[in-house]
Amino acid sequence: MADVPRRRPPRGVRLRSVGDGELELRHRVVHGYRRAYRMAGQGPALVLIHGIGDSSATWAGLIPDLARTHTVIAPDLLGHGASDKPRADYSVAAYANGVRDLLTALGIESATLVGHSLGGGVAMQFAYQFPERTERLILVSAGGVGREVNPVLRAVSLPGADLVLSALRLPGMRLQVGLFLRMMKVLDTDLGQDAPELLNLVDALPDATSRSAFIRTLRAVVDWRGQAVTMLDRCYLTEGMPTMLMWGDRDSVVPVRHAYGAHQAMPGSRLEIFEGAGHFPFHTDPARFLTLVEEFTRTTAPADWSREHWRDLLVDGRPGTAAGRPDDARNRALERDLREASERSAT
């Protein structure tokens, strides 16, 4: 990850230094399973949720800056990183429950959630299940807002995927994968934009337990037709909740068109496109990512959730059209996605 330049803080904001010890992994046992997490800083809580096959290490270069003004919590989701990898429920709803339970154990009552890829789906599910504990949503290349996904992930969801992933550990295979990804980068393909991160994914599956947890997680959200879970049909419930979407315009995992669909479906949301970035825009341009997060959390008030407002939104239901022009091609596509969502919604 590129070095992140230090910036002058907003006037009136007190900064504190972050010790190296704060960035080290900590552990907390919840429901009998060991959960790994990083925690640093003081101030309003900011929870960083990584994507599938990743870990809290993906945020390591950003945490020191964010922790100057926030209490930052970056968990390793169950089945990932240094957390336990049991034969368990790896659904998006279960992950949202796990985040809630870890925050409760740490004494965090409410937080701004930053979710990347699968973590974006987890953040949205958390906001749906626990709106009273969600102050803001920041969704980065989030899953769960459309059917499309990279064909490789669709293939890995099929039977026999464990044998394919096992083959990646054979002598010389990592070198071959690395050469292929470097070639994709030299050819300036969208897939090549994320070559280092994709190679890290291979390294994150060193044994059968890790591979089993990865496949269980993937199959909970993806099948041979694409993403199998969506929050698109309930995005209207984010009305009144500050929400920002960040996406790379060269994302080969979750296409950038999903960003525009989610932006339309989320009333009052803000959309930021990272030109030339792939699936990890916070790695491609960490300085811009930090600036956006800090500015967004500083200039928006936490969501003021109330049971009455939530009930009114549910009673009124989703708006009948995506925008004021029902014949617009993008609106028709969004409506099609919303109809498909009826069979793909998580509870």
Side-chain angles (χ1 to χ4, degrees):
M1 183 184 299
D3 290 336
V4 180
R6 304 292 183 185
R7 295 172 313 286
R8 180 173 297 175
R11 184 174 299 177
V13 175
R14 296 183 61 189
L15 301 184
R16 60 181 298 276
S17 60
V18 176
D20 291 339
E22 290 184 272
L23 300 180
E24 295 177 356
L25 277 175
R26 309 182 190 188
H27 298 89
R28 178 70 65 113
V29 175
V30 181
H31 307 314
Y33 300 125
R34 191 176 72 153
R35 316 283 179 127
Y37 65 97
R38 302 171 197 267
M39 187 172 180
Q42 293 178 358
L46 189 70
V47 179
L48 310 177
I49 310 176
H50 63 77
I52 189 169
D54 212 338
S55 72
S56 60
T58 199
W59 308 106
L62 301 165
I63 291 175
D65 274 286
L66 294 173
R68 289 172 175 266
T69 52
H70 291 83
T71 297
V72 181
I73 306 98
D76 286 1
L77 296 175
L78 199 68
H80 294 72
S83 289
D84 282 347
K85 301 169 180 62
R87 185 174 182 271
D89 182 1
Y90 289 114
S91 67
V92 174
Y95 276 132
N97 289 337
V99 171
R100 176 207 53 191
D101 292 345
L102 177 61
L103 293 181
T104 300
L106 296 176
I108 306 295
E109 289 302 315
S110 63
T112 294
L113 272 68
V114 182
H116 171 241
S117 197
L118 169 73
V122 173
M124 285 188 286
Q125 185 70 23
F126 184 99
Y128 173 62
Q129 293 178 198
F130 316 112
E132 71 282 2
R133 303 187 68 165
T134 308
E135 297 180 358
R136 302 172 189 82
L137 277 176
I138 300 176
L139 307 176
V140 187
S141 305
V145 292
R147 184 183 293 275
E148 293 170 279
V149 73
N150 189 283
V152 173
L153 293 178
R154 293 165 57 183
V156 175
S157 72
L158 297 173
D162 53 336
L163 298 177
V164 176
L165 293 180
S166 297
L168 294 177
R169 307 306 302 177
L170 294 175
M173 281 300 295
R174 187 186 187 282
L175 176 61
Q176 294 183 39
V177 172
L179 289 173
F180 171 76
L181 291 173
R182 280 194 290 273
M183 181 178 68
M184 292 294 98
K185 188 171 183 64
V186 169
L187 294 175
D188 196 32
T189 65
D190 290 351
L191 184 65
Q193 307 306 308
D194 299 313
E197 288 82 3
L198 295 175
L199 194 58
N200 288 339
L201 179 58
V202 176
D203 296 333
L205 304 174
D207 51 47
T209 300
S210 299
R211 292 191 292 271
S212 176
F214 175 84
I215 292 173
R216 283 179 175 273
T217 304
L218 181 66
R219 288 176 177 169
V221 292
V222 172
D223 61 22
W224 66 273
R225 295 181 297 174
Q227 296 191 62
V229 175
T230 185
M231 284 292 292
L232 199 61
D233 58 333
R234 280 160 289 168
C235 282
Y236 68 93
L237 293 172
T238 60
E239 181 181 329
M241 178 178 294
T243 302
M244 180 165 61
L245 301 134
M246 300 187 199
W247 234 275
D249 68 351
R250 302 192 64 182
D251 192 330
S252 66
V253 179
V254 182
V256 69
R257 66 176 64 92
H258 290 199
Y260 294 104
H263 179 47
Q264 283 189 321
M266 293 181 165
S269 62
R270 172 177 171 181
L271 176 61
E272 296 287 343
I273 301 297
F274 286 60
E275 294 185 6
H279 191 55
F280 293 78
F282 56 98
H283 288 180
T284 304
D285 193 347
R288 182 184 176 197
F289 176 84
L290 285 168
T291 297
L292 287 172
V293 171
E294 292 174 355
E295 183 267 339
F296 184 68
T297 56
R298 187 180 71 251
T299 60
T300 57
D304 184 16
W305 182 87
S306 73
R307 189 178 302 275
E308 292 74 19
H309 177 62
W310 187 259
R311 183 190 62 236
D312 290 343
L313 288 173
L314 286 170
V315 170
D316 292 341
R318 179 178 57 83
T321 59
R325 297 176 298 172
D327 292 331
D328 181 84
R330 181 174 291 172
N331 290 335
R332 293 199 301 272
L334 181 56
E335 287 300 308
R336 183 183 65 249
D337 287 342
L338 289 169
R339 287 194 298 272
E340 292 175 351
S342 63
E343 67 180 49
R344 298 188 290 127
S345 297
T347 57

